[in-house]
Structure formats: structure tokens, C-alpha cells
Amino acid sequence: MVFVLVAVAVLALLAGVHRYVWRRLIGDTTAKGSLARRVGTVAAFVLPLLTVGAFVSSRSGVPFAVQQVLAWPGYLWLAALLYLTLALLVGEAVRPLLRRFLARRAAARQAAAVDVSAGAPAVQVPAAAEPGPATDDSTRTDPAPDTEAPAPPVADPSRRLFVARAVGGAAALAGLGTVGLGTYGVLRGPRTKRITVRLAGLPRSAHGFRIAMVSDIHLGPILGRAHTRRVVDAINATSPDLVAVVGDLVDGSVADLGPAAEPLAGLEARHGSYFVTGNHEYFSGAAEWVDHVRELGLHPLENARVEIARFDLAGVNDVAGESEGQGPDFARALGDRDRGRASVLLAHQPVVIDDAVEYGVGLQLSGHTHGGQLWPGNLVAELANPTVAGYERYGDTQLYVSRGAGAWGPPVRVGAPSDITVVELASPQA
């Protein structure tokens, strides 16, 4: 019942938002029966249906080719709707100011026209010729025009239409421009960041060890093989000692996305590449994906630990795996280790930081949040995560959260650029 009520509330909200956007962009700016209004009205119905189709098709076994067709317009419209609405809401504050400015300018022009008319020279009209002697009063002057103040200007329909089109056009330009730039940022590929983390217990011999960390690649109907290749090339360009793929690699099955993931076989690192599951793997067949990435040369860490360069590298399953009995098991991954050794934990979601602190982890590497992906989504992400992006310390445990290399849903990022992070470990002894 609660789910139904929430679903109804969400649908009502989306319907209201679409109605508002249609009224401001189409209803207020076009004439009834015009081609522009008909096209805009059709789009207002078709685009949200494509969005619903994109979401439903990804969960209902629809052929992958159909998912790809629906994904681009459906997901992009979701981002466009967000920023068109925000831009139009800003326009609500601009609208009365623009009307007032135009009304004052019209009043000033009307007053100037009256002043010019009142100051014009009198028109001399010759007197009618009559018999008899001429008189000195040979001309007469017409009475001066009425100089009373004009009535206040009446609201001009053309002025209202101009304001509606100006504000609507500016909002459309701002909203769609934001989406366009955000899409370019995703398709361009992630940028590389570098941080240095001083890690307790790290021996001098491991000082400067570099981990290329990437999360949330989100291969799917939009981001495919070319995106994987961009990520792999960016990682290899850093010449890392180790690669860590920290969950949410895919949004789909191995059958559909196996070829898109194949460039991961080209990852190059002296100590190998490692993988832990994210929540989206459990939506996509986690067991099959674990086997597939192993075939590509990555080493899955399923609640497991390995020793690398005289420090411990551990990985835990994502919390979404609990529904399948495959959730994180910190005792299995970390329970019997020597706490005097340096340790790095790969865990998709930062919410498990309390468990990492309890087990004496030195550094946890996570993703999941996308940094909010679409501003102001970061404000929502802050409510559900201890850290949305970047570095923080929790007691003796350090946490670094990547914004991720891809995007979920709309292939758009605003205020949260995608990244790959090279984490360089520093020894206190160095």
C-alpha cells in the first residue's frame, strides 16, 4: 500500500511538472491551433512516455536493441525536464520585473509623445477675405490641443506575449544548454584526479604505490564499448601499480553487455586489476558478471583479502547482495588479519564505513554516489551517504569516494564531473 501511494504521488508530481512546463513553454507562447502548439503538445505527451519506456524496458527483458532506441530520448528528457523546470522557476522571478520595465518604458514613450505635441508651434490660418477695408487682425490662431495627462497604459497583449516568449526562450536555452554540456562531459570520458594518502603501517618499500581507482562505469544501452575503451585508455595512461574497479560496472546482462566490457581485458597494472560488486550488479546477474570479469583478467574480491606489496587489499560485496545471501562479510574479509599491517578496503557504498572503522581498516575506497550526478542531486545524496565525494577521515580510518566514470539514467552530469582517481599511498616511514 505504501509503495502504491508513493508511486501515485510521484506520478502526480511528474504530471504537474509536465503541465507547468507545457504551459510556460507552449501554452503561453503559441497561438491556439498553430502548428507550434500542436507539435509542442504532442512532444509533451510522447517524451514522458519514452522516459517510462526506457525505465521499464531495462527491467522487463525487452530486446537490447529496443532498450537502446528508448534510452537516449527517454533518459535525456528526464534531465531536460529537471533543468527546464529549474530555469522556468527562476524565470518566474524575472517575469514581473520584465513586465514592469516594459510598462514603464511604454509610459515614458507615451508621455514624451504628449510633450512633443503640446510644445508644437501654433498653426497660423489666414482669415477669410471679405469686402471692405483691411484690418490689423489678418490672422487667427487655432486653440491649443488638449494637454491633460494621458490615462495609465492598459496591459498590452502583445507585451505579455513578448515577456512569455522572452522568458520561455531564455529558460529553454539555459535548460537545454546545461543538458548538452552535461552530456558532452559524460561522452568525453572521465578526467584523471590524483590524491596522496598517508597510510599507517605501510612499509617504506611500498611508499608511492599507485592504485588507479574507478567506479560506476555503468555500461548499458547508452554507454557501451567505446566508453569502456575511453576508461581503459585513461587508466593505462597513468601506469598504475594496481587497478581497482569498485562496483556498478554494468546495467544489464552479460548476454547484452559482455562485448561492451571486453576492453577491460586491456587493463595494465604491475599487481593486477581487482573488482568488487556494486548494487547494480545484483540487478544484472552478479554471479555471471563475477565470472565474466574473471575471464577478462580481473580478480573479483568477494568478501576476500589478498596481500600485495606488504599491505592488505580487501574487498566486500555490496549491501544489495544481502537480498541474495551475498552481502558484505567483514569478518570473513578482515577478521583474522594482522591489524599492524596497512590495509585498503574496496567497498562500493560508503555507508559501510562504520564496519571498516570497527575492523581497523586504514583506507576505504568507494563510489556509488556519483557525487550527486545532477545538481542539486548532491543535496539528496548527502542525506543517504556519510561522504558524497572526495576524502574524509572517520577516526583512524580514511575514506575516499569517487564520483564515478559513467552515469546512471540520463548520460548527463551537472556539477559532478566524472573521474578516475589515482590514489598514491605514502608511508609514514618515508
Side-chain angles (χ1 to χ4, degrees):
M1 179 62 70
V2 173
F3 175 79
V4 171
L5 291 176
V6 171
V8 170
V10 170
L11 289 176
L13 175 63
L14 288 176
V17 171
H18 278 88
R19 170 64 181 172
Y20 169 72
V21 171
W22 177 88
R23 182 168 65 88
R24 285 306 193 198
L25 291 183
I26 306 300
D28 291 350
T29 62
T30 60
K32 291 182 179 180
S34 66
L35 177 62
R37 177 167 292 199
R38 290 198 297 270
V39 170
T41 302
V42 170
F45 280 96
V46 171
L47 289 171
L49 291 178
L50 290 174
T51 299
V52 173
F55 276 106
V56 172
S57 66
S58 64
R59 296 286 183 267
S60 59
V62 170
F64 190 64
V66 176
Q67 295 181 39
Q68 291 176 303
V69 170
L70 294 173
W72 274 103
Y75 287 133
L76 280 175
W77 171 243
L78 195 62
L81 179 65
L82 170 63
Y83 291 107
L84 285 173
T85 302
L86 292 176
L88 287 169
L89 290 175
V90 173
E92 297 298 341
V94 176
R95 192 182 301 271
L97 299 178
L98 182 56
R99 283 176 178 167
R100 188 177 305 171
F101 169 76
L102 293 176
R104 287 180 176 176
R105 189 173 68 170
R109 287 179 175 176
Q110 185 175 353
V114 170
D115 290 342
V116 169
S117 178
V123 179
Q124 302 296 321
V125 180
E130 295 181 1
T135 62
D136 294 335
D137 188 12
S138 60
T139 63
R140 59 183 177 88
T141 304
D142 284 351
D146 186 5
T147 58
E148 292 183 2
V154 179
D156 186 351
S158 64
R159 190 185 308 146
R160 289 199 301 269
L161 181 61
F162 173 81
V163 170
R165 288 178 173 176
V167 174
L173 183 63
L176 298 180
T178 298
V179 172
L181 290 174
T183 304
Y184 170 75
V186 171
L187 299 182
R188 176 197 59 203
R191 296 297 177 90
T192 301
K193 298 174 60 177
R194 298 176 185 271
I195 66 168
T196 299
V197 177
R198 189 171 182 266
L199 192 59
L202 188 72
R204 184 188 297 268
S205 61
H207 178 75
F209 191 94
R210 287 171 294 111
I211 300 174
M213 170 202 178
V214 61
S215 73
D216 302 280
I217 297 175
H218 283 288
L219 300 179
I222 292 180
L223 300 176
R225 188 183 182 95
H227 181 64
T228 311
R229 172 53 58 194
R230 286 191 292 268
V231 171
V232 169
D233 290 345
I235 290 174
N236 289 344
T238 69
S239 300
D241 296 305
L242 183 146
V243 176
V245 181
V246 194
D248 278 8
L249 170 64
V250 293
D251 283 307
S253 66
V254 173
D256 290 335
L257 296 173
E262 286 178 357
L264 293 174
L267 287 170
E268 300 172 358
R270 188 158 55 100
H271 292 274
S273 302
Y274 292 82
F275 170 80
V276 294
T277 55
N279 55 309
H280 282 250
E281 271 70 59
Y282 292 97
F283 306 149
S284 309
E288 291 184 356
W289 274 111
V290 167
D291 291 340
H292 189 65
V293 298
R294 186 181 285 113
E295 293 171 359
L296 296 176
L298 281 73
H299 306 286
L301 290 175
E302 297 181 275
N303 297 320
R305 181 179 79 252
V306 295
E307 296 181 5
I308 294 178
R310 298 178 64 187
F311 72 88
D312 293 334
L313 177 71
V316 292
N317 295 344
D318 186 71
V319 295
E322 293 175 349
S323 62
E324 303 178 11
Q326 299 293 328
D329 189 337
F330 283 83
R332 179 180 166 189
L334 298 163
D336 59 349
R337 79 177 192 88
D338 177 5
R339 292 202 177 195
R341 290 169 56 86
S343 59
V344 177
L345 172 68
L346 308 182
H348 178 63
Q349 297 195 41
V351 294
V352 300
I353 185 62
D354 291 336
D355 295 288
V357 172
E358 179 182 350
Y359 281 88
V361 170
L363 172 65
Q364 175 179 319
L365 301 178
S366 297
H368 181 65
T369 68
H370 296 206
Q373 185 170 327
L374 296 170
W375 183 92
N378 58 305
L379 303 179
V380 178
E382 288 173 359
L383 300 176
N385 297 277
T387 299
V388 174
Y391 171 91
E392 284 194 54
R393 177 180 284 273
Y394 294 84
D396 293 330
T397 301
Q398 301 170 90
L399 171 64
Y400 180 79
V401 180
S402 169
R403 292 188 177 95
W408 178 77
V412 183
R413 282 178 171 267
V414 177
S418 57
D419 65 59
I420 291 168
T421 303
V422 176
V423 181
E424 184 171 329
L425 304 179
S427 169
Q429 304 174 23

